[in-house]
Amino acid sequence: MKYGNLRPIPESSKKLVYAVGKITGKHKENVDYCYTEDFLVVQIPRGIRIELPESGHSHDAYEFIIPREPMPYLVRENSIYFGEVGKIYPVQSGLIHKLKYKSASVKHTNIIVAKPFMEQILKDKGIENYQFHTIVSESQDLRFLVEIFQTEFLSKSRPDIKNKLVPLSQAIVAEIIDLSVRKNTDDRKFKSRYQKGMRSVAGYIDEHFNKDMTLEELADICELSPNYFSTCFRKTFGDPPKIYITKLRVSKAKTMLATTKLTITEVGNACGFKTLKVFSDIFRKYSGMSPKAYRNQHEQAKKILPPENNK
């Protein structure tokens, strides 16, 4: 397993590393751990699994999961989510959580923060008892700070933990807190006894996201009437099926815009949008910018960073 530049991981940081769970899969040597004693960034590529108990697990550390590709199932205690690209899914200290995938895992970033470290920053901000239940969008500032933290840690020279990495980790945590506090809503969704059937539907949607799907077709998968199915689906995932599918398509498009050379029209077609105008209008609605602007933003970010970080 790869720990930064193959540096031995210090005893003081092992607790945070092991809190993530057992890493398995053919690409596990490509996992990057960048850390201080109280802070850890794990960059997880496609093709590996984080093995957790079937019932989930919990830990004292705070965890923030940021999908880089659409993440089919992300379960936090009484909540189940479809993981959208570029969203931050917080796991409160002590909260039971797990990741459930239909196949191999998808690329994502995990930020793990030791409880005393987080609580001190919350105290400094005057919000000691703040609870992280809010799903928010990752800011450009946060992504840039994380990439700089990784760059500093992975530099060939010994990382300057006290003067560089610790202040960077404090800035990253402060940005996550600020993003969460500014939204100030609780996005938890409660369990439904039909979740198992709903997950089967979600898996089907994930496989056929770029195809036309009728409400009747989806309802047949879990043997419910279309109207009742729509109600159960919304209670489970927080969105009606049509909106869920649209969000999935936009997330898939984000990944393709950032990682491929396909034209914007080709990306739209590949993600199930009938015309360029429809694609552009819907993408702007859900991301706040046009597909071209989104791609340009990622291209500019790549130019700022050293070549080894342009993955």
Side-chain angles (χ1 to χ4, degrees), residues 42 70 120 172 187 199 213 233 268 304:
V42 190
Q120 182 59 54
I172 290 167
D187 289 316
R199 291 180 192 177
M213 288 171 271
F233 190 97
I304 295 173

Side-chain angles (χ1 to χ4, degrees), residues 53-111:
E54 181 61 30
S55 58
H57 79 156
S58 64
H59 42 69
D60 284 341
Y62 291 74
E63 184 173 0
F64 300 90
I65 303 167
I66 310 176
R68 301 303 177 198
E69 299 173 345
M71 183 179 284
Y73 310 129
L74 191 159
V75 184
R76 303 184 314 172
E77 204 166 61
N78 291 328
S79 314
I80 177 169
Y81 299 88
F82 157 67
E84 293 181 64
V85 173
K87 297 286 188 179
I88 303 171
Y89 295 83
V91 178
Q92 182 77 19
S93 172
L95 188 72
I96 296 174
H97 61 287
K98 57 185 175 180
L99 304 177
K100 293 182 75 72
Y101 302 109
K102 191 175 189 307
S103 55
S105 69
V106 299
K107 182 178 180 181
H108 61 287
T109 300
N110 274 24
I111 297 175

Side-chain angles (χ1 to χ4, degrees), residues 72-73 79-82 189-206 213-222 224-248:
Y73 310 129
S79 314
I80 177 169
Y81 299 88
F82 157 67
K189 306 170 182 66
F190 297 99
K191 281 182 179 178
S192 160
R193 61 196 178 107
Y194 296 104
Q195 274 190 2
K196 184 176 180 180
M198 294 304 107
R199 291 180 192 177
S200 297
V201 173
Y204 179 84
I205 291 172
D206 190 58
M213 288 171 271
T214 65
L215 190 63
E216 291 75 14
E217 176 186 356
L218 298 176
D220 282 345
I221 294 174
C222 47
L224 296 174
S225 70
N227 286 342
Y228 193 48
F229 162 75
S230 186
T231 299
C232 293
F233 190 97
R234 186 171 61 253
K235 285 183 177 179
T236 303
F237 293 103
D239 288 312
K242 184 176 180 180
I243 299 301
Y244 181 96
I245 293 168
T246 300
K247 286 184 175 180
L248 176 60

Side-chain angles (χ1 to χ4, degrees), residues 137-154:
S137 295
E138 179 187 29
S139 65
Q140 277 296 106
D141 286 346
L142 177 62
R143 185 155 190 170
F144 184 74
L145 286 168
V146 169
E147 288 170 337
I148 293 300
F149 182 90
Q150 293 170 316
T151 299
E152 289 292 338
F153 184 90
L154 296 171

